[in-house]
Amino acid sequence: MAAAKRISEEPAFVLHSYDWSESSLILEVLCRRQGRVALVAKGAKKPTSNFRPVLLPLQPLLVTYTLAGDGSADIHTLKGAEWVGGHVMPTGDALLSGMYLNELLLRLLARADPHPALFDAYAGVVRVLASEHGDALEPVLRSFELLLLREIGLLPGLDAQTMTLEALLPATRYTLVPEGGLRASSAADRAGLLGGQWQMLQRALDDTSSYTATLRACAPVAAELKPQLRTLLQYHCGSPLLRTRQLMIDLQAL
């Protein structure tokens, strides 16, 4: 019988966990080199488990696990998890924002489909969420949404109208919509950006340091980007409404 293949000290974040038995958890984990994977953490709910204080969301980890069977099974076995350190757990709006990003990744990323650049951007976002982020929260969320959509092939080019491929006019407003991509804004559109602003975002996404460049480019247009990206993301996530979005709506209604 061949030994189980072992993945050792893989940079990772826990996206979600749920009960598997009285003492164990199933984890949905984002790994840098392996993509999204499901792991069983045996005994993790026991008070004496070394896993118990470590397996928290929005915390940078190094995980070691063995692949089930020939590696094609959906759920693998967690063997070790180490907290890398560097920041504390986000709180308040930042925690809710982190849970929102985790839900997006769970809905939109296929298992075992690595996106190392997206992992690095996520790690950067989490560091901002855990800091005294001030006015950076909205731009950092918008930049990650753009990078996620681009990385998984759901973001049209932002330097031309999607249906006609006509170049954008710098002083004309355009709106990003789920089925039509980028098109000239109409009176009925809730939000839009000037052609020059969309072109600025495209240049940032194409930059070799795309996370930093996109974050800077999003800062002046984050409020107008928000409804457009949220509509596009919800369209691709399908029904029901994202749980974290519904929670935000409910909290705003209080």
Side-chain angles (χ1 to χ4, degrees), residues 81-93:
E82 176 187 350
W83 181 54
V84 176
H87 61 73
V88 297
M89 178 75 79
T91 59
D93 289 344

Side-chain angles (χ1 to χ4, degrees), residues 228-248:
Q228 297 175 84
L229 292 179
R230 289 286 170 88
T231 300
L232 184 58
L233 286 160
Q234 186 64 60
Y235 173 82
H236 288 298
C237 286
S239 294
L241 186 68
L242 289 161
R243 291 191 299 273
T244 43
R245 288 285 299 124
Q246 186 61 59
L247 179 58
M248 291 176 189

Side-chain angles (χ1 to χ4, degrees), residues 125-148:
V125 171
V126 169
R127 285 192 293 271
V128 173
L129 295 180
S131 69
E132 294 294 328
H133 46 76
D135 295 332
L137 184 57
E138 289 296 327
V140 85
L141 292 177
R142 303 295 79 80
S143 63
F144 187 79
E145 289 169 343
L146 281 171
L147 291 165
L148 172 60

Side-chain angles (χ1 to χ4, degrees), residues 122 147 179:
Y122 176 86
L147 291 165
E179 294 186 354

Side-chain angles (χ1 to χ4, degrees), residues 13 30-32 58 87 101-102 105 115-129 139-151 205 208-215:
F13 286 89
L30 180 67
C31 295
R32 190 177 191 277
L58 307 175
H87 61 73
L101 296 184
N102 286 357
L105 292 169
H115 294 279
L118 186 65
F119 179 94
D120 293 344
Y122 176 86
V125 171
V126 169
R127 285 192 293 271
V128 173
L129 295 180
V140 85
L141 292 177
R142 303 295 79 80
S143 63
F144 187 79
E145 289 169 343
L146 281 171
L147 291 165
L148 172 60
L149 286 163
R150 196 271 303 269
E151 188 74 16
L205 288 167
T208 52
S209 301
S210 58
Y211 168 63
T212 304
T214 306
L215 179 56

Side-chain angles (χ1 to χ4, degrees), residues 94-226:
L95 176 59
L96 190 57
S97 296
M99 294 296 100
Y100 161 71
L101 296 184
N102 286 357
E103 189 174 3
L104 284 181
L105 292 169
L106 285 168
R107 292 267 201 115
L108 294 174
L109 288 187
R111 285 217 180 120
D113 182 18
H115 294 279
L118 186 65
F119 179 94
D120 293 344
Y122 176 86
V125 171
V126 169
R127 285 192 293 271
V128 173
L129 295 180
S131 69
E132 294 294 328
H133 46 76
D135 295 332
L137 184 57
E138 289 296 327
V140 85
L141 292 177
R142 303 295 79 80
S143 63
F144 187 79
E145 289 169 343
L146 281 171
L147 291 165
L148 172 60
L149 286 163
R150 196 271 303 269
E151 188 74 16
I152 59 179
L154 297 177
L155 185 70
L158 302 180
D159 52 3
Q161 296 190 60
T162 304
M163 302 300 287
T164 65
L165 300 183
E166 292 179 26
L168 304 185
L169 301 175
T172 298
R173 288 179 69 80
Y174 300 89
T175 298
L176 185 62
V177 294
E179 294 186 354
L182 199 59
R183 58 155 174 76
S185 299
S186 71
D189 289 320
R190 291 174 56 204
L193 298 178
L194 296 176
Q197 294 172 319
W198 286 118
Q199 291 166 334
M200 175 185 64
L201 289 169
Q202 184 63 56
R203 287 194 296 272
L205 288 167
D206 292 338
D207 193 287
T208 52
S209 301
S210 58
Y211 168 63
T212 304
T214 306
L215 179 56
R216 288 199 193 101
C218 283
V221 295
E224 288 286 304
L225 264 181
K226 182 175 181 176

